[in-house]
Amino acid sequence: MSGLRQTALTCSGHTRPVVDLAFSSITSSGYFLISACKDGKPMLRQGDTGDWIGTFMGHKGAVWGVALSKDALKAASGSADFEAKLWDAVSGEELHTFPHPHIVKSVDFNTDDSKLLTASNDKKVRVFDLLRPDESGECLTGHSSAVKKALFLRDGKRVVSAADDKSVRFWDLSSLQEVKKLELETSPSSLELSPNSETLVITHGHSVSFYNVLNFEKLKEYKVPSQVNSASLHPDQSVFVCGGDDFKMYKFDYETGAEIESFKGHFGPVHCVQFSPDGELYASGSEDGTLRLWQTVVGKTYGLWKCVMPGELNAGEVIDIAAGDAPVVKAEG
């Protein structure tokens, strides 16, 4: 397949910048992709093709964070309307609303999907029990500015959060106390927990850092030519991808930090990137209002891709698979 060029599938439909995205685990129906957008309308798609499934209607402000349960039966979203919402991802029905005193920037499910984690501009991280959703969430307090992202660690006993106070903090859920603080030179822009559950990926400034979540040891740190907003590590930890303010997508060798490829595809800063659960593709969301799907191995027959011979397409050229004129309806499985 040498000489083949990267051909992205572009997913239209949003009307404002796409600021977050998340894949489900692999289910009997494949895997799914949810996106958060400033238009306030999270969208659900088939993960390997980008085909639009439905739109969740109910928020009254920009949606900043989204998550899917492992089985893709439930979805969560956090919004500038000071609410986090839990959704039935099959029917599209709203299951519960969790009021907050400020903008909700991030949501996450724990391993067994029994709890919901939220991060808010009120400097707090909250944990809600989905078996008793009407109860107030437990608060993790310690950040001195807005919390941008929070994730459950896979052991179910700890949480990690990133905030504008230039710190990443680890919390013990039994005591609700901070157990470790990583101090950075610039504010972290994103967090990702690797599929092996042991590596935390942090983007900050022009850097992508990797930490062992068991002993908090820094494993690697690499510089990127642009301000980087998001990064994702491949499931086999061979490569990582990232994107930022220069509109480019980058792929690097994880062991050496060598740049493998870079190209422009989006027409605005890249806000979020993530590998699919099988590692065959990665998705990106941008200020330009689109999601794009990229092949990990260029030219491989997978999903909607077919082999493209050299010269047929330019690097970073996209194929539009959703014109964006589909009616807005509730999500259907």
Side-chain angles (χ1 to χ4, degrees):
M1 297 295 181
S2 61
L4 295 181
R5 295 176 176 181
Q6 178 68 266
T7 306
L9 305 178
T10 185
C11 306
S12 307
H14 284 301
T15 58
R16 296 197 63 200
V18 178
V19 291
D20 192 31
L21 57 86
F23 284 103
S24 71
S25 297
I26 298 174
T27 73
S28 59
S29 301
Y31 60 88
F32 300 89
L33 173 64
I34 190 171
S35 54
C37 181
K38 290 184 180 180
D39 63 12
K41 300 171 183 177
M43 286 189 175
L44 185 68
R45 299 178 184 272
Q46 190 72 37
D48 60 340
T49 65
D51 288 335
W52 178 79
I53 296 173
T55 301
F56 299 98
M57 303 296 292
H59 279 297
K60 298 178 178 63
V63 174
W64 287 100
V66 284
L68 285 171
S69 62
K70 309 305 177 291
D71 57 11
L73 296 180
K74 292 183 175 63
S77 54
S79 172
D81 61 11
F82 293 18
E83 293 179 344
K85 290 184 182 291
L86 179 69
W87 308 87
D88 184 316
V90 178
S91 67
E93 294 297 324
E94 180 183 313
L95 299 176
H96 198 80
T97 293
F98 302 89
H100 286 64
H102 214 304
I103 295 169
V104 183
K105 297 300 289 286
S106 165
V107 291
D108 190 39
F109 290 99
N110 67 341
T111 303
D112 65 5
D113 300 321
S114 64
K115 295 182 178 180
L116 181 68
L117 186 69
T118 67
S120 173
N121 276 9
D122 72 350
K123 310 174 188 177
K124 294 180 181 179
V125 177
R126 291 175 174 81
V127 184
F128 295 94
D129 187 338
L130 296 182
L131 300 179
R132 294 180 288 275
D134 291 320
E135 295 184 3
S136 298
E138 297 179 315
C139 286
L140 305 176
T141 304
H143 281 294
S144 58
S145 57
V147 186
K148 302 170 83 169
K149 188 78 172 181
L151 298 171
F152 282 107
L153 299 187
R154 297 299 184 257
D155 59 14
K157 301 176 181 178
R158 294 178 298 160
V159 161
V160 61
S161 58
D164 283 334
D165 58 13
K166 301 181 182 179
S167 77
V168 171
R169 304 184 191 218
F170 294 84
W171 310 84
D172 177 78
L173 288 181
S174 60
S175 65
L176 302 181
Q177 296 298 309
E178 178 187 311
V179 295
K180 178 68 176 180
K181 180 169 72 171
L182 305 177
E183 297 188 68
L184 307 171
E185 293 184 358
T186 55
S187 295
S189 50
S190 74
L191 295 178
E192 181 192 79
L193 188 64
S194 70
N196 72 3
S197 304
E198 295 182 1
T199 304
L200 181 69
V201 186
I202 307 171
T203 58
H204 51 107
H206 284 64
S207 299
V208 182
S209 300
F210 303 86
Y211 283 82
N212 184 310
V213 300
L214 302 178
N215 59 18
F216 312 116
E217 174 189 358
K218 183 190 288 186
L219 302 172
K220 298 178 184 295
E221 183 171 293
Y222 299 119
K223 293 291 185 181
V224 179
S226 168
Q227 166 78 28
V228 60
N229 297 324
S230 181
S232 185
L233 182 61
H234 191 274
D236 68 8
Q237 298 199 170
S238 59
V239 298
F240 68 94
V241 293
C242 60
D245 285 356
D246 66 356
F247 304 10
K248 285 187 177 182
M249 294 294 300
Y250 292 90
K251 183 190 290 181
F252 293 91
D253 184 284
Y254 173 67
E255 288 301 325
T256 67
E259 183 181 311
I260 297 171
E261 62 182 14
S262 66
F263 44 85
K264 282 188 177 179
H266 285 290
F267 297 98
V270 178
H271 294 309
C272 46
V273 298
Q274 191 175 115
F275 273 107
S276 62
D278 61 4
E280 293 287 350
L281 61 85
Y282 49 99
S284 59
S286 168
E287 185 75 14
D288 66 15
T290 66
L291 280 167
R292 298 194 180 187
L293 305 182
W294 312 87
Q295 285 186 291
T296 303
V297 178
V298 179
K300 185 174 181 179
T301 301
Y302 181 83
L304 294 183
W305 281 282
K306 63 180 181 178
C307 292
V308 180
M309 298 307 295
E312 289 185 358
L313 289 166
N314 297 319
E317 187 166 344
V318 299
I319 299 173
D320 193 339
I321 62 169
D325 54 0
V328 175
V329 299
K330 294 178 178 178
E332 297 178 354

